[in-house]
Structures are given as C-alpha cells and as structure tokens.
C-alpha cells in the first residue's frame, strides 16, 4: 500500500468515531434556523453540509485543511526548478490533512504518473464531437466515457462492505485525476491547434506535464501548478462541489460524479465566469483600439454593462465579503511576471473602478473581485487565448478537491442526500402564522 493510502486509512480510522459520536449522541442538537428568504433564495448561508477538506470564511477566504492559501504555498514542497508547489502535495494534504514530505510528494507523483495512460476510446470520443461543441461539454463527456473503468462500480456489483467503499473510490479518484491533464490538453490540441497530441512525459509532475502537453514553455508549468492549486476546493456548498457530493451520495462512482460536477461548473455564474471576464475585457479592448482606458472611460464601460442589466463578471460572491485571496495570489504572480501586459493593466484598473461602482449601485453584497477576474489574463499572456477553454482548466483543479470529498464521504458513510421541499402555499401559511404571533 502506498504511503498516501496508508496514511489516509489511518486518518479514516481515527475520524470515524467522531462522526459516529455526533450522530449517536448529538443528533438532535440544533445548529441553525432557516428563513423563507433562504429557502427561496438559493439556500444562502444554510448550514447543512459537512466537510473537513476546506472551509470558506466570508472575510478571510478559503482554508485548505486549516491552512490559508499563503500558508499552503509556503509549506507544500516545491517543484524542482519552479517557484510553485507540486499539485501532488496538495492531493496528499487534502486527502490526509497532513503537509507531506518531499519523498511523500515524489511517491504520489510516481503513482499518478503510472495511472496517466488514457484508453484509445477516449481520444476517439473527443475526436467524434461535432464542430463548435464547447470544451466543457467535451470534457464532461470524456470523463463519462471513462466510467466503464470504475473500480468502485465493479466492486459494488460483486458485493463489498460499506466500511470498504472508500478504498475503490480512492482508486477511481487517483485514476481519474491522473488522466485529467491528458484529457484537457488533448481537447485543447483538437479544438485549437493541429489536433496532434504531445506525448505525456512520465518524469514531469502533474503541472509540469500539463504545460508540456499544452506545448507551452516555463513558467507556464508554474502557472499550471498555481492554477490547479487555487481552484481545488471552496468548501462544499458551491455548485460544482455540491453537485459532485450530491451525485456521489447515490453511490454513483467518481466518474459519474465528477462529470456531473463539471456540468455545474460550466454555468456562467460559476466557473464559466473566467471566460466571461475575458470576453468582457476583449469588448473593451476592441472599443479602445488596444489603448488603456482612463479611469473615467473604464467607469463608463462598467456602468454601461450594469445599465444593460448584466453582471460584471469576476466580481461578487455568494459567500465572500472581501477580495478573494485566490485573486490576490494570482495578482501577486501577475505583478511579478506580467505587469506590463496591457490586459493586466485593464484588470488592475477594474480593481480600482468596479468595487466603488458596485457599492454605489447597492445591489451586490460583495463588490470585490473573485478568482475569475484574474485567471484569464494570465492564461492569455502565455498564449492560451481561446477563452472558452478556461473553465476546463478550472475543472481539472476542482476535481482534486471534489474527489477528496467523495473519498471521505464514502469513508464516513454519509447517506443519500435528500432535503425536503415545501409548496408556496405552505410557506404562505407559515408566514401568516408567524405574523399573527407578532
Ligand atoms: N455585477 C452586477 N450585479 C451583481 C454582481 C456583479 N458582479 N454580483 C451580484 N450582483 C447583483 C445580483 O445579480 C443580484 O441582483 P438582483 O437582486 O437583481 O437579482 C444582487 O446583486 C444580489 O446578489 P448577491 O446576493 O450579492 O450575489 P449572489 O449570491 O446572488 O450571486 C454571484 C453571487 C457570484 C452569482 C454574483 O455575484 C455574480 O453574478 N457575479 C458575476 C459572475 C461571477 O463572477 N461569477 C463567479 C463567482 C465565483 C465562482 O463561483 N467562480 O467559479
């Protein structure tokens, strides 16, 4: 058994009694109350999910296993010759809660490298897509195609104890994660390049190999590592994470669950916002003939968008109430590597202009930028200008967090998810009764 799997098993055994005790002794404890506003309003703030993989504080931003993003970047072992940590280290951290040593990270890299080979039929499925299919549609379908490989499904059909569900789920998770860079880079080659696949290099790490298969030179390997790490998880309630967890709760395997989570990520209010940011910026760029707008001109572009009833992509968040630390990490990288890039200057100007406008408009609860406001500019700078592809990059990263969650869902025996609905008439009745009491 690998060190990662052994450590994961140890952690699962230590954790199980905590969940069992909460369920057996404290099942009736009230945690929160729910209002009609929350029921109709997309369940904002309803505390009804549990995960130990990450936690999102509205003012501080995301913590992975208790570590802030700057701590994660400082503590995880770095890739050789790069300034960013290896993605393999994050996989170890999210699954076990421990910061891995260099040799533990090397072991995970080796393990993933052995699982990378993509069956031929996946390439054929990608090849068979009709022209103009969105890369997220192809990405989701390619993952679904792999479902026939599910180890969990085979074990489940043969009969397996609930206590062991996590084991084949873990195998599926690692097998799928190892293949995602191959799938993503082939979709890119097929849609936007000459369609020829660059062979995977087993000596490279997850991020380095992805950059290699995209055919882009360093520091794009660091861009890939940075990108996959910051997109990995954002606690359980966001659309992609929640979808992955919900589908997996029916004991659908990792392939079915991750394909579903990719579909959730493909919506413009969620993961597709990074493509929308670039589309918006390109519109401004074209109108300005490439010149940097003045603050006043940029303000006008922002107001024009708002006045036409559209949102400013890359700004606002359902939970965060401050600048997203994932935006800040990317900004720091951009200031170091692409500070003279004209699009970066646009993005920086927007950071100055948009928050006061959204505050003045008074609708958005969070006027600050989220991670999607920066992502595309970095990709564009390194030659990935086909912005429809950006959410695939997001999906590769997000799968790391969601698979870790699904493995733990299986380990702790979380049941089928099934919240209760009410009718509008029932809500009106409750509202009337409560008003009468006041
Ligand atoms: N521009 C204009 N209006 C905005 C806005 C923005 N960036 N953000 C929120 N608002 C508006 C909402 O549309 C809503 O208007 P109505 O009352 O007319 O419906 C109002 O402000 C209140 O919304 P909210 O409570 O602040 O925000 P929500 O929790 O409902 O929605 C969203 C959060 C992220 C969907 C929202 O801020 C938005 O649409 N942002 C732009 C798209 C975007 O950047 N999405 C990516 C978010 C991060 C992510 O998940 N990445 O994957």
């Amino acid at each position: 058994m690998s060190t990662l799997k052994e450590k994961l098993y140890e952690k699962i055994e230590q954790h199980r009694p905590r969940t069992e005790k909460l369920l057996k002794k404290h099942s009736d404890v009230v945690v929160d109350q729910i209002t009609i506003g929350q029921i109709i309003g997309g369940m904002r703030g309803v505390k009804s999910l549990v995960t130990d993989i990450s936690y999102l504080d509205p003012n501080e931003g995301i913590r992975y296993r208790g570590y802030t993003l700057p701590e994660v970047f400082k503590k995880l072992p770095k890739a050789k010759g790069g300034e960013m940590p290896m993605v393999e280290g994050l996989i170890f951290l999210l699954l076990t809660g421990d910061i891995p040593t260099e040799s533990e990270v090397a072991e995970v890299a080796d393990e993933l490298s052995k699982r990378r080979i993509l069956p031929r039929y996946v390439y054929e499925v990608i090849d068979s897509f009709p022209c103009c299919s969105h890369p997220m549609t192809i990405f989701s379908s390619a993952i679904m195609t792999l479902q026939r490989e599910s180890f969990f499904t085979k074990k489940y059909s043969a009969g397996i104890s609930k206590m062991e569900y996590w084991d084949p789920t873990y195998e599926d998770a690692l097998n799928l994660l190892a293949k995602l860079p191959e799938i993503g880079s082939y979709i890119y080659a097929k849609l936007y390049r000459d369609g020829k696949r660059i062979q995977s290099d087993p000596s490279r790490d997850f991020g380095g190999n992805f950059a290699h298969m995209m055919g882009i030179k360093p520091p794009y390997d660091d861009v890939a590592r940075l990108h996959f790490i910051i997109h990995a998880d954002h606690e359980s309630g966001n659309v992609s994470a929640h979808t992955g967890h919900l589908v997996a709760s029916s004991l659908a395997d990792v392939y079915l669950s991750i394909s579903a989570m990719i579909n959730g990520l493909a919506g413009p209010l969620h993961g597709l916002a990074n493509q929308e940011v670039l589309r918006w910026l390109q519109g401004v760029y074209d109108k300005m003939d490439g010149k940097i707008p003045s603050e006043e001109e940029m303000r006008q572009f922002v107001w024009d968008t708002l006045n036409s009833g559209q949102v400013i992509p890359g700004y606002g968040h359902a939970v965060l109430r401050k600048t997203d630390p994932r935006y800040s990490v990317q900004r720091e990288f951009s200031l170091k590597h692409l500070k003279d890039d004209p699009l970066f200057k646009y993005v920086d100007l927007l950071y100055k202009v948009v928050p006061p406008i959204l505050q003045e408009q008074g609708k958005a609860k969070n006027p600050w930028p989220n991670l999607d406001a920066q992502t595309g500019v970095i990709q564009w700078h390194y030659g990935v200008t086909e912005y429809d592809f950006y959410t695939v990059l997001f999906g590769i990263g997000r799968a790391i967090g969601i698979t870790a969650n699904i493995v733990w869902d299986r380990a702790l025996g979380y049941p089928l998810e099934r919240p209760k609905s009410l009718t509008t008439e029932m809500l009106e009745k409750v509202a009337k009764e409560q008003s009468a009491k006041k």
Side-chain angles (χ1 to χ4, degrees), residues 57-342:
D57 180 89
N59 292 308
E60 184 192 55
I62 193 69
R63 276 181 185 256
Y64 290 157
R65 289 289 192 173
Y67 297 103
T68 63
L69 275 188
E71 284 166 352
V72 166
F73 279 96
K74 197 165 162 217
K75 286 177 188 286
L76 287 182
K78 304 270 181 302
K80 238 184 230 135
E83 57 182 274
M84 293 294 159
M86 280 166 71
V87 175
E88 289 85 342
L90 185 79
I91 294 173
F92 193 103
L93 172 65
L94 294 188
L95 277 168
T96 66
D98 289 350
I99 299 284
T101 62
E102 283 195 14
S103 74
E104 283 167 338
V105 174
E107 207 186 306
V108 180
D110 190 41
E111 176 117 2
L112 290 181
S113 182
K114 285 186 205 137
R115 299 171 188 244
R116 274 181 193 161
I117 294 176
L118 206 53
R120 198 183 163 79
Y121 62 80
V122 182
Y123 295 111
E124 287 167 2
V125 166
I126 295 172
D127 288 345
S128 68
F129 264 81
C131 137
C132 313
S133 299
H134 194 281
M136 283 296 271
T137 310
I138 307 177
F139 191 44
S140 168
S141 309
I143 294 169
M144 277 286 276
T145 310
L146 275 167
Q147 194 270 335
R148 66 193 284 282
E149 310 289 333
S150 172
F151 199 41
F152 174 82
T153 299
K154 283 183 194 110
K155 286 274 185 185
Y156 187 82
S157 304
I160 181 177
S161 150
K162 271 186 175 185
M163 298 300 277
E164 290 166 32
Y165 282 172
W166 71 271
D167 185 320
T169 304
Y170 164 90
E171 296 298 334
D172 280 353
L174 254 58
N175 284 336
L176 177 60
L177 286 181
K179 292 174 178 59
L180 292 180
E182 311 265 336
I183 299 176
S185 57
Y186 184 62
I187 292 173
Y188 186 76
K190 185 78 200 163
L191 292 186
Y192 310 115
R193 294 291 180 262
D194 58 7
K196 290 203 183 97
R197 179 161 69 94
I198 300 177
Q199 292 286 338
S200 164
D201 177 351
S203 70
R204 294 179 200 250
D205 64 293
F206 193 93
N209 189 45
F210 179 73
H212 160 74
M213 290 187 294
M214 289 286 287
I216 309 175
K217 291 193 174 64
Y220 191 72
D221 50 355
D222 264 339
V223 169
R225 294 177 191 116
L226 166 77
H227 191 90
F228 297 146
I229 291 174
I230 61 172
H231 286 84
D233 208 29
H234 220 220
E235 69 167 44
S236 295
N238 64 77
V239 170
S240 52
H242 189 202
T243 307
H245 164 79
L246 172 68
V247 174
S249 85
S250 73
L251 293 188
D253 59 54
V254 161
Y255 299 92
L256 294 167
S257 309
I258 296 299
S259 174
M261 89 82 177
I262 291 292
N263 297 343
L265 193 65
L269 293 186
H270 190 18
L272 216 70
N274 53 25
Q275 112 172 20
E276 296 307 306
V277 170
L278 247 289
R279 197 195 303 282
W280 192 89
L281 285 174
Q282 280 299 311
V284 176
Y285 194 84
D286 290 347
K287 281 182 200 138
M288 290 299 300
D289 263 339
K291 287 199 301 284
I292 311 289
S294 67
E295 261 184 64
E296 203 34 55
E297 284 168 324
M298 192 59 112
R299 261 191 220 106
Q300 196 52 51
F301 285 123
V302 173
W303 273 118
D304 288 349
T305 301
L306 291 174
N307 290 336
S308 64
Q310 297 170 63
V311 295
I312 306 297
Y315 281 76
H317 200 273
V319 178
L320 278 167
R321 294 297 174 255
K322 284 271 163 70
T323 295
D324 190 336
R326 302 171 300 173
Y327 174 91
S328 307
V329 170
Q330 293 183 94
R331 185 167 189 272
E332 216 174 285
F333 181 91
S334 305
L335 282 169
K336 190 166 171 193
H337 295 278
L338 46 130
K339 85 172 181 323
D340 295 325
D341 186 298

Side-chain angles (χ1 to χ4, degrees), residues 44 269-271 273 306 312 314-316 318 363-365 370 372 394:
R44 292 292 181 286
L269 293 186
H270 190 18
L306 291 174
I312 306 297
Y315 281 76
K363 277 170 71 174
K365 294 189 188 69
N370 56 60
D372 293 316
F394 191 154

